[in-house]
Amino acid sequence: MLRVWLCIAVIGGLVGCGGSEASKALPKTVPAKGIVTLDAKPLPDATLTFIPRGGTKGIECYGSTNEKGEFSMKQLRGENGAPPGDYTVVVSRYLKPDGKAIALGSSEMPADVGAVESLSPRYSDPTSSTLSALVPAAGGEFKFELKSR
């Protein structure tokens, strides 16, 4: 249930908030991009969330993977990239009963269409994710190699 609420919060922030005033107060971002694989194959249609931890300034950053597993991050209600700092990384991929993924920003809520999280909580649960990223001042490229087992 926590993952569903996290997804709703991210999508709600994308749809309902923003504007030039909101982005002025946010820290500067640097390029943050990369690739996600699952069992050594590109993972399409996944959503990534970088959650600041420690002294990292700013708010969550998000991105989604294309069919090659590539992603670029964007600060929620802000600029492309992510502020330099330390992040917990959450990778989520909700699949509908027909096997199709729900895209980031979709009007469909996972619970409303019977979608379930297809990735292990060690990647998809913000409270237990084992993934992290340290974004340097010049920006960075990241590779997240997920395993299904």
Side-chain angles (χ1 to χ4, degrees), residues 14 39 50 73 86 98 117 126:
L14 294 173
D39 298 328
F50 280 22
M73 300 306 290
D86 190 20
D98 63 5
E117 176 60 62

Side-chain angles (χ1 to χ4, degrees), residues 37-49:
T37 60
L38 179 63
D39 298 328
K41 296 177 184 168
L43 181 64
D45 303 314
T47 301
L48 286 89
T49 307

Side-chain angles (χ1 to χ4, degrees), residues 38-89:
L38 179 63
D39 298 328
K41 296 177 184 168
L43 181 64
D45 303 314
T47 301
L48 286 89
T49 307
F50 280 22
I51 303 169
R53 63 184 182 185
T56 300
K57 304 266 190 247
I59 57 176
E60 289 84 9
C61 299
Y62 67 92
S64 59
T65 59
N66 62 19
E67 63 250 358
K68 295 178 183 178
E70 301 165 331
F71 68 90
S72 292
M73 300 306 290
K74 177 178 172 53
Q75 189 169 219
L76 193 61
R77 298 188 319 265
E79 302 294 322
N80 289 330
D86 190 20
Y87 295 88
T88 295
V89 178

Side-chain angles (χ1 to χ4, degrees), residues 8-146:
I8 290 169
V10 169
I11 292 170
L14 294 173
V15 174
C17 299
S20 59
E21 289 301 314
S23 63
K24 285 182 184 177
L26 298 174
K28 296 283 184 190
T29 60
V30 295
K33 61 183 181 176
I35 188 167
V36 180
T37 60
L38 179 63
D39 298 328
K41 296 177 184 168
L43 181 64
D45 303 314
T47 301
L48 286 89
T49 307
F50 280 22
I51 303 169
R53 63 184 182 185
T56 300
K57 304 266 190 247
I59 57 176
E60 289 84 9
C61 299
Y62 67 92
S64 59
T65 59
N66 62 19
E67 63 250 358
K68 295 178 183 178
E70 301 165 331
F71 68 90
S72 292
M73 300 306 290
K74 177 178 172 53
Q75 189 169 219
L76 193 61
R77 298 188 319 265
E79 302 294 322
N80 289 330
D86 190 20
Y87 295 88
T88 295
V89 178
V90 175
V91 181
S92 182
R93 185 171 187 240
Y94 283 92
L95 297 179
K96 296 186 267 187
D98 63 5
K100 292 184 181 178
I102 294 182
L104 180 66
S106 169
S107 61
E108 297 176 308
M109 292 289 118
D112 292 343
V113 294
V116 295
E117 176 60 62
S118 66
L119 300 175
S120 167
R122 72 179 178 263
Y123 308 127
S124 62
D125 186 334
T127 62
S128 60
S129 176
T130 59
L131 302 172
S132 63
L134 183 59
V135 178
E141 291 192 26
F142 305 91
K143 185 169 188 178
F144 299 106
E145 297 173 322
L146 313 183

